Amino acid sequence: MRIAHLSDIHFGGENVEAVAAVREWLATDRLDLVVVSGDLTRFGEKGEFASAAAWLRQLPEPQLVTPGNHDAPYLAWYDRLFTPFARYERAIGRARFQTHLAPGLAVYGLNTARGVQPRANWSKGQISRRQVEEALAWFAAAPAESLKIVVCHHPLTEMIGGPMTGKVWNGEAAAKAFAEAGVDLVLSGHIHAPFTWPYGYGDGKTYAAGCGTLSVRERGVPPSFNLVETDVAEIRVTALAWSGSKFEPQQTWSLTRR
């Protein structure tokens, strides 16, 4: 099974060459799913969403796309306060949650971004107990043998030594609940750097995997996306970095499946 994981394209500030090249790369490969884990836009402007939607239409199907904190309008304050993801939903699709079910694969996307929240930095993440419960109920109804993947924008636990933080309220509790329920993988973006690590809960075989950016907002890491490949024994995550002319493997992690 092969899944392309992209994130943080930030249309309005995208790396134009990398965005075009990844479209061509995806078109020539056999993929079971394309995942985009948020921040399709820079400021949540209508023109940025139009560019993001046009780009998504050129990518292979099926797709699962979830919003990020940059997908709430930055300058349109009324919209940000009262309908933070209305623009996203008009251009891209459902913001609250998304699902994909196929033979051997169950994927649930949820929104960890908020338009406003009771702290100074609104870019950080939140995940509610209700969101976790709804995701787990959906997974419980999926075939037991499925590879179970959660997609969200913010990493639920912090990347050690990462270029920035997610500070997800209720993130640790959510990670623990997903691990104890047997979720295999949690895909995220936000920090603009690829990584993997096991959650320290359950049997230790629930993994976080973060994706880099395809924007010019580099944080010491070149633009990249991840290729996730699975078989019965392992999950392999390869970060493919943009060299300026092509995507090349930067690092591969091999994660043992339960």
Side-chain angles (χ1 to χ4, degrees):
M1 191 173 301
R2 293 164 61 84
I3 299 168
H5 175 203
L6 296 76
S7 196
D8 296 79
I9 298 89
H10 291 292
F11 276 96
E14 75 274 23
N15 185 312
V16 175
E17 292 182 343
V19 166
V22 79
R23 182 188 63 217
E24 295 177 5
W25 192 99
L26 297 176
T28 60
D29 202 5
R30 183 195 63 79
L31 295 165
D32 296 282
L33 180 66
V34 174
V35 167
V36 184
S37 58
D39 277 5
L40 281 86
T41 67
R42 179 176 55 174
F43 294 132
E45 296 293 321
K46 294 177 182 178
E48 295 169 357
F49 276 121
S51 296
W55 179 72
L56 287 171
R57 286 194 294 269
Q58 299 176 64
L59 302 188
E61 296 282 355
Q63 299 175 12
L64 187 144
V65 185
T66 194
N69 52 283
H70 277 266
D71 297 322
Y74 185 74
L75 299 174
W77 283 97
Y78 183 90
D79 290 347
R80 186 180 185 93
L81 288 169
F82 297 105
T83 57
F85 297 104
R87 292 182 180 182
Y88 175 95
E89 291 193 321
R90 285 194 295 269
I92 308 300
R94 184 165 54 183
R96 184 166 169 264
F97 71 94
Q98 312 80 32
T99 62
H100 174 76
L101 190 62
L105 181 64
V107 187
Y108 189 98
L110 53 83
N111 188 3
T112 55
R114 301 292 186 268
V116 296
Q117 50 186 305
R119 55 176 163 175
N121 192 337
W122 294 350
S123 74
K124 304 305 181 184
Q126 292 188 36
I127 182 170
S128 69
R129 182 179 300 178
R130 179 181 177 183
Q131 284 179 292
V132 174
E133 291 173 348
E134 289 176 346
L136 294 181
W138 185 82
F139 282 121
E145 69 277 7
S146 299
L147 181 79
K148 298 176 177 63
I149 299 177
V150 169
V151 180
C152 53
H153 180 64
H154 298 82
L156 299 180
T157 61
E158 300 298 346
M159 176 187 178
I160 298 172
M164 69 176 296
T165 61
K167 292 187 177 178
V168 178
W169 283 352
N170 202 43
E172 289 280 356
K176 183 174 186 291
F178 289 142
E180 292 178 345
V183 168
D184 297 287
L185 200 58
V186 179
L187 303 180
S188 64
H190 187 64
I191 63 172
H192 294 200
F195 66 84
T196 69
W197 67 75
Y199 289 146
Y201 307 108
D203 60 7
K205 289 186 171 63
T206 295
Y207 303 94
C211 185
T213 183
L214 289 171
S215 75
V216 297
R217 294 168 56 95
E218 298 174 25
R219 299 193 177 104
V221 181
S224 65
F225 70 99
N226 289 350
L227 177 64
V228 180
E229 301 173 283
T230 69
D231 56 32
V232 295
E234 66 177 358
I235 301 168
R236 292 176 299 281
V237 180
T238 301
L240 294 158
W242 177 242
S243 69
S245 60
K246 61 182 179 179
F247 283 100
E248 300 176 333
Q250 179 185 38
Q251 187 171 358
T252 298
W253 296 268
S254 181
L255 314 173
T256 303
R257 289 186 63 173
R258 60 172 55 82

